[in-house]
Amino acid sequence: MQTAEMSCRYDLFDRGDGHIRVRFEGRMDAANAAFMVREIKDVLQARMPRSLTIDLQNVTYLDDFGALVLLEAKKMISDDVGHFSLENVGRDAQRILSVLNFDALGKKQVFSQKQRPNVFVRLGEGVLEHASDLKHMVSFVGSVCLSLLHVAVHPRSLRKDDLVLCMQRTGVDALPIVGLISFLLGLIMAFMSSVQLRQFGADIYVASLVSLAMTRELGPIMTAIIVAGRSGSAFAAEIATMKISEEVDALFTMGFDPTRFLVVPKVIAAVIVVPLLTLFSDVFAILGGLVVGMLTLDLTANAYMAQTIKTLTLFDVFLGVFKSAVFALLVSWVGCLRGFQVRGGAASVGRATTSAVVSGIFLIILFNSVFSVILRYWE
Amino acid sequence: MERQAVIEVRDLVAVYGGDVIIDSISFDVYAGEIFVVLGGSGCGKSTLLKHLIGLNRPRSGHVIVAGHDISHCDEQTYHTTLRKIGVLYQSGALLGSMTVAENVALPILEYTDLPQDAVNTLVEMKLSLVGLNGYEHHLPSEISGGMKKRAGLARAMALNPQILFFDEPSAGLDPVTSAELDQLILDLNRILGTTMVIVTHELQSIFTVAQRVIMLDKRTRGIIAEGDPIFLRDHSRNSFVRRFLNRELKVAES
Ligand SMILES: Nc1ncnc2c1ncn2[C@@H]1O[C@H](COP(=O)(O)OP(=O)(O)O)[C@@H](O)[C@H]1O
Ligand SMILES: [Mg+2]
C-alpha cells in the first residue's frame, strides 16, 4: 500500500498464485502520474504477475495521464500468456479510455530514431546539395545582371526610396564603427612598424607604410568585412524571412520581379556607399598613424602628411576604391542569394544569415587574391 | 449552486501606448464552460486574450486566473499559473525544427519526470485525441494548416491544463476542417472538463461551441452583450448585437 504525493493511492492484493489485484483510489491525473508509473512498475516487476486486475471503483477522476498509469501497468504482464482486466470502470473513465482506444495503445514509436546515414549516402547528398547550390548561384548571377540591365535601361523602375534607405543603413549607419576600427588599425600598424623602422632611423617611412597598406589593401578589405557582417547578414535575414512568410511569393504574383524589387536597391546602394566608406576608412587609418608618429616618433604633422602625399599615387586610391566596389557587389549579392536559398522555418533563417557572412568574407579574400595576382603582372 | 469562477476580470483597462483599447471591463469565466469572446475586427479581442494570459500587463484593474492575480504577482506565481493554462496560437506556433511528436513532448519532458517510454505513449495518446495519429514524424512545414492547429492543440493540452485559450481557432480553415475543430473543442471539454476561452468572430463556431459569450465593441471599448449566443441573437436589446449575430449589414448608423 502506498500513497502518492497528494491525491492518489492504491492497494495491492497478492494471493500468491500469480494473480494480482490493484485497487486505485482518488484522482489519477497529471499531478501524480509520474510517481504512480514508477511505483506500479517497481511493485509489479518484483512480483511478475501472470494476470492483473485493476479495480477503479474508488477513482474519482481519470484523465489520459491516469490512462497512462493503467497502460504502464498493463505492459508489466507478458502479452501472450498474461491476462489483464479493468473492473468497475466509471462512465467518465470508460469514455476517455474508449476515446483513447486504450486496447491498441503503446505499440507505436512516435519519436524518430535519428540514424546517421553511411558515408556514401552523405557524400552523395553533399555533392547533390553543392551542385544545386552552384546551379542556384549561377542563375542568380544571371537574374541580378538582367535586373541591373533593366534598371540601367529604365532608370525609373528603380525603387528610389528603398535605395536611399539602404544607402543609409549600409553606409551612414556604418560610419562610426568603420571610423573607429580603421583609426585603431592605423594606430596598431604605426606602432608595430615604428619599432622596426626606428632601428634604421627610417621613422618617416611609417607614414608611407600605413598609407600605402591601408589604401591599397587593408582599407577595402576591412570595410568590406564590416559591411559583410553588418549588411550582408541583414540582407540575408530580411529576404529569408520574407521568403518563409510567403512575402516573396506575394511580390511575384503581384507581377514584381523579386530580384528587381529586393536585390537591385541593395546591390546598387552597397556599390555606391562602400567605396565612400573605404575612403573614409583610409583617412581615419592615416590619422591613427599620424597620432602615433607625433606622439612616439616626434614627427611633425607636416612632415608626416608630406610623406603620405609623396607615397600615395592617384592610382593607389583608385585601385582601393575599385576593389571595394567589387567587394560591395559580392557581399550584397551573396547576402541576397543566401536569403533566397532559404527553405523551412526559423532555424534556416539563422543558417542563411551565417552563411551570408561566411561566404561574403570568403569572396572578399578570394577576389583580393585575384586582384593581387593580376596587378603583379600588370604593373 | 454557485459556480466556481476560474478567471475573474475586474475593471480591466488595456492600452497600447496612449490608446485605450479596452476601457474598464469586468467578467467571470466559470470552471468547465466554453466561453467565447466575440466582436468585429479590431475591437480588442486579441488584446484581451493577451491580458488574460499575462503577455501584456493591464494599465489598471485585475486579472485573476486560477486563483492568482496575474496582473500583480511575482515571476514565480506567474510561472505556476502558466502551468495551469494552455494557449493555441492562430497558426499553431509549432517549433519548425522539431517533428510533431517532439513538439508535443516538449512540455511533457520539461515538466514531468515520466520515463521515456511512458512519454512516448502519452504523446501517442495526445495525438490520437486530436486525430493526428500517423503524423508523429512529420515536420510542421509538411502538414496542413488544420493539422498544425490540431498539433498546436495537442501541445497546448499536453499537461492537461485547467484552462485552454484559443485565438481565432477557425481562421484560415475551410468550413469542414473548421467544423471538425469545433467538434474537437466540444469533445475535449466534455471528456477532460477543460475550461475553454475562445476568441473568434466566426458565427458558425459561436453557435456550435459557445455556452456563454461576451461581445466587445470598438466604439464603447467595453462589453455590449453577455449571455447565451442564441438568446442574444433573437432577443438582445442592442440592435447592433442582433445584427452582428444575424449577419446583417448595417442599415443605418445606430
Ligand atoms: N502591438 C500593438 N500596438 C499598438 N496598437 C495595437 C497593437 N496591437 C493591436 N493594436 C490596436 O489595438 C486594437 C485592437 O486590436 P486587436 O486586439 O488585435 O483586435 P482584434 O483581435 O479584435 O481584431 C486595434 O485598433 C489595433 O490597431
Ligand atoms: Mg485578433
Side-chain angles (χ1 to χ4, degrees):
Chain A
M1 181 166 119
Q2 260 296 343
T3 318
E5 291 145 344
M6 42 214 92
S7 46
C8 181
R9 45 182 255 129
Y10 69 91
D11 296 298
L12 188 130
F13 307 95
D14 185 358
R15 280 180 293 175
D17 56 357
H19 181 93
I20 290 185
R21 263 181 89 80
V22 178
R23 192 167 66 202
F24 284 98
E25 270 173 46
R27 290 175 64 85
M28 300 183 69
D29 60 13
N32 50 40
F35 178 82
M36 292 305 280
V37 165
R38 278 172 212 285
E39 270 297 311
I40 209 83
K41 274 188 147 175
D42 284 350
V43 221
L44 291 182
Q45 206 131 43
R47 292 167 208 260
M48 294 200 294
R50 270 190 295 118
S51 86
L52 176 67
T53 307
I54 291 184
D55 184 349
L56 296 179
Q57 180 151 37
N58 298 327
V59 170
T60 51
Y61 178 82
L62 181 137
D63 62 12
D64 43 359
F65 280 83
L68 181 69
V69 176
L70 302 183
L71 197 76
E72 292 298 312
K74 183 180 170 187
K75 279 189 194 159
M76 287 291 104
I77 53 168
S78 58
D79 270 347
D80 33 351
V81 285
H83 178 75
F84 176 86
S85 61
L86 292 173
E87 270 179 12
N88 299 321
V89 186
R91 259 211 8 250
D92 292 339
Q94 185 56 52
R95 194 158 60 194
I96 180 139
L97 291 180
S98 65
V99 169
L100 289 171
N101 200 0
F102 184 72
D103 297 322
L105 275 175
K107 306 216 168 36
K108 201 160 17 174
Q109 191 57 42
V110 301
F111 298 113
S112 330
Q113 245 64 41
K114 293 209 174 74
Q115 277 182 341
R116 269 171 84 77
N118 74 34
V119 62
F120 296 108
V121 175
R122 274 182 290 151
L123 184 70
E125 275 176 353
V127 170
L128 287 178
E129 205 169 288
H130 281 94
S132 91
D133 196 37
L134 197 68
K135 209 171 86 182
H136 209 126
M137 253 189 207
V138 172
S139 81
F140 194 63
V141 170
S143 104
V144 171
C145 287
L146 280 179
S147 303
L148 284 173
L149 266 180
H150 180 93
V151 170
V153 180
H154 311 278
R156 290 170 61 90
S157 70
L158 180 65
R159 297 174 51 80
K160 301 203 179 48
D161 293 351
D162 277 5
L163 179 70
V164 173
L165 193 67
C166 278
M167 283 170 66
Q168 188 202 334
R169 295 226 176 105
T170 314
V172 182
D173 295 354
L175 280 178
I177 186 70
V178 168
L180 181 67
I181 289 185
S182 307
F183 182 79
L184 293 176
L185 208 64
L187 214 74
I188 295 164
M189 271 167 37
F191 254 127
M192 297 304 293
S193 53
S194 69
V195 176
Q196 307 297 324
L197 291 173
R198 176 168 261 179
Q199 295 174 8
F200 307 101
D203 294 3
I204 191 67
Y205 288 105
V206 168
S208 308
L209 194 141
V210 170
S211 56
L212 203 58
M214 271 319 278
T215 38
R216 283 186 67 126
E217 297 288 336
L218 290 176
I221 291 185
M222 281 311 300
T223 310
I225 288 180
I226 293 171
V227 169
R230 287 185 78 256
S231 305
S233 57
F235 296 165
E238 182 188 335
I239 294 180
T241 312
M242 291 181 75
K243 176 114 199 231
I244 60 172
S245 55
E246 296 181 326
E247 288 177 40
V248 172
D249 298 345
L251 283 178
F252 188 76
T253 46
M254 280 188 285
F256 292 101
D257 174 2
T259 318
R260 201 183 305 153
F261 195 96
L262 295 170
V263 179
V264 167
K266 295 185 172 62
V267 170
I268 294 183
V271 172
I272 294 174
V273 296
V274 174
L276 295 176
L277 275 179
T278 304
L279 287 175
F280 190 75
S281 143
D282 296 346
V283 170
F284 267 77
I286 290 170
L287 277 180
L290 178 67
V291 168
V292 172
M294 287 172 64
L295 294 185
T296 71
L297 299 174
D298 302 325
L299 296 172
T300 62
N302 234 336
Y304 189 96
M305 289 315 294
Q307 179 66 22
T308 300
I309 292 167
K310 207 170 92 186
T311 313
L312 285 182
T313 60
L314 204 55
F315 177 76
D316 295 323
V317 178
F318 275 138
L319 178 66
V321 166
F322 174 72
K323 283 210 288 193
S324 70
V326 174
F327 295 160
L329 183 69
L330 293 169
V331 163
S332 54
W333 169 78
V334 83
C336 296
L337 169 73
R338 295 305 184 210
F340 277 110
Q341 278 176 334
V342 79
R343 205 155 283 123
S348 51
V349 177
R351 279 200 297 276
T353 314
T354 309
S355 159
V357 177
V358 173
S359 326
I361 293 176
F362 169 74
L363 286 175
I364 293 167
I365 304 297
L366 181 74
F367 274 74
N368 197 50
S369 318
V370 172
F371 280 127
S372 304
V373 174
I374 293 175
L375 282 171
R376 168 78 181 70
Y377 290 100
W378 190 28
E379 281 183 322
Chain B
M1 193 184 78
E2 185 64 21
R3 287 187 296 175
Q4 187 202 350
V6 287
I7 301 178
E8 295 167 51
V9 174
R10 293 289 172 268
D11 307 318
L12 172 73
V13 178
V15 296
Y16 283 117
D19 302 341
V20 178
I21 307 296
I22 296 172
D23 196 5
S24 191
I25 63 171
S26 304
F27 60 88
D28 287 332
V29 178
Y30 301 109
E33 75 174 340
I34 303 184
F35 182 82
V36 171
V37 178
L38 61 92
S41 293
C43 68
K45 302 185 296 292
S46 302
T47 308
L48 175 60
L49 190 75
K50 282 186 188 151
H51 283 83
L52 293 182
I53 58 185
L55 283 180
N56 290 3
R57 293 279 162 115
R59 162 68 61 83
S60 66
H62 299 269
V63 177
I64 299 156
V65 175
H68 301 294
D69 187 345
I70 59 165
S71 46
H72 301 84
C73 70
D74 52 275
E75 201 72 354
Q76 185 62 39
T77 322
Y78 180 52
H79 274 270
T80 33
T81 316
L82 280 185
R83 295 273 308 272
K84 297 182 186 161
I85 67 174
V87 184
L88 174 60
Y89 292 92
Q90 265 197 27
S91 54
L94 300 171
L95 301 186
S97 52
M98 297 180 174
T99 63
V100 169
E102 286 165 346
N103 263 293
V104 177
L106 194 64
I108 300 176
L109 291 171
E110 179 69 21
Y111 290 115
T112 69
D113 50 358
L114 285 169
Q116 181 65 44
D117 63 329
V119 174
N120 187 72
T121 315
L122 191 62
V123 170
E124 189 189 341
M125 285 189 208
K126 296 287 178 192
L127 288 178
S128 85
L129 272 182
V130 298
L132 272 187
N133 3 25
Y135 293 94
E136 295 85 1
H137 305 289
H138 286 60
L139 287 173
S141 52
E142 299 165 347
I143 58 179
S144 73
M147 289 171 169
K148 275 185 206 158
K149 287 205 178 168
R150 285 163 178 269
L153 181 55
R155 188 180 67 180
M157 45 168 250
L159 298 170
N160 284 348
Q162 213 177 326
I163 312 166
L164 271 175
F165 293 91
F166 298 78
D167 194 0
E168 311 241 347
S170 26
L173 298 185
D174 66 84
V176 176
T177 317
S178 164
E180 281 169 4
L181 193 66
D182 288 343
Q183 192 55 46
L184 186 61
I185 291 172
L186 282 172
D187 287 345
L188 291 174
N189 173 261
R190 195 167 43 88
I191 296 167
L192 297 172
T194 316
T195 310
M196 310 269 181
V197 176
I198 304 172
V199 161
T200 187
H201 50 211
E202 198 76 20
L203 288 178
Q204 200 59 50
S205 308
I206 294 168
F207 293 123
T208 321
V209 301
Q211 293 164 0
R212 210 155 58 83
V213 303
I214 58 172
M215 182 160 171
L216 298 181
D217 180 50
K218 192 168 184 163
R219 215 157 35 85
T220 62
R221 300 183 194 131
I223 300 176
I224 50 170
E226 174 166 359
D228 173 52
I230 295 171
F231 179 83
L232 288 179
R233 178 187 62 190
D234 301 334
H235 307 291
S236 173
R237 264 173 295 160
N238 187 324
S239 65
F240 175 70
V241 175
R242 281 201 313 274
R243 277 207 311 272
F244 185 95
L245 291 171
N246 284 309
R247 215 177 177 178
E248 282 167 17
L249 291 173
K250 232 177 251 187
V251 191
E253 196 57 41
S254 50

